[in-house]
Amino acid sequence: MTDDAHTAARGVGVVVVAAGSGSRLGAGLPKAFVPLAGRPLLGWALDTVAQLPGLGSVVVVAPASLADPAAAAWSGVTLPPGTRVVAGGAERTDSVAAGLAALDPGCDVVLVHDAARCLAPLAVFERVVAAVRAGHAGVVPGVPVVDTVKGVDARGVVTGTPARDGLRAVQTPQGFRRDVLAAAHAGGAAAPDDAALVEALGHEVLVVDGDLRAFKVTTVDDLAHAVRFVADG
Ligand code: CTP
Ligand code: MG
């Protein structure tokens, strides 16, 4: 077997986290199942995942109440062949850990993707995978920060103003060597994102170019923004 064939055989595992409640969107159902142009956000995300070259295994992490893909809320979601669906946990970190535990053991690279970033383009997935394959233990897509960011203390008093050119707003999919991500989650600590857990282990995390379309649907305005993107093609 050539090195390339070996790499392809091991494959990329993708954990799509979709178990959040979507409290800030307030749509009355879990955010990943809220329709965008008639199909759940999760369906849009999975359509892109399905196109990923070298795709090995997909795990969707759903709310416990919706962990059966036969449920009506899944209508319009096409699962890539072999996809497993598992129930998530109280925090995003718990949901990622549940997804990782269900991933095919043959996958040596793992992407963790928010269903809420339903329009993240395939090119972002490919950039992240390429950088992990090139030897980086952790890779995140990022975009420049447009606002000036202030550090503040508990009273709201500014403690500092970091230089904007040294900041990135990071997105998903975030990609990792599987052994590194498993070790990062083994401690059971919660973190804002998976990269933070990997950083805490002392691994270097690389930022590659993200994409404005990989924004996260969080509020009603974000959903309207997504509708515009879809309408514009
Ligand atoms: N997520 C998850 N399990 C959780 C919390 C979040 O799988 N316990 C997922 C969400 O489904 C989403 C992604 O993580 O795809 C990013 O989380 P966020 O945007 O915060 O989504 P929600 O937690 O659903 O939204 P909110 O915080 O407004 O309730
Ligand atoms: Mg949340």
Side-chain angles (χ1 to χ4, degrees), residues 67-127:
D68 177 1
W74 287 76
S75 170
V77 177
T78 304
L79 296 177
T83 297
R84 294 177 193 166
V85 178
V86 299
E91 302 295 332
R92 183 184 180 281
T93 317
D94 305 320
S95 296
V96 175
L100 191 55
L103 208 55
D104 189 309
C107 299
D108 60 338
V109 171
V110 178
L111 301 185
V112 180
H113 186 47
D114 292 335
R117 298 184 188 274
C118 55
L119 300 181
L122 182 62
V124 178
F125 286 76
E126 292 181 312
R127 277 198 286 278

Side-chain angles (χ1 to χ4, degrees), residues 20-49:
S21 61
S23 54
R24 287 169 289 180
L25 186 59
L29 78 166
K31 183 163 69 183
F33 295 88
V34 170
L36 164 62
R39 289 189 311 123
L41 301 188
L42 174 63
W44 289 87
L46 286 174
D47 286 356
T48 306
V49 168

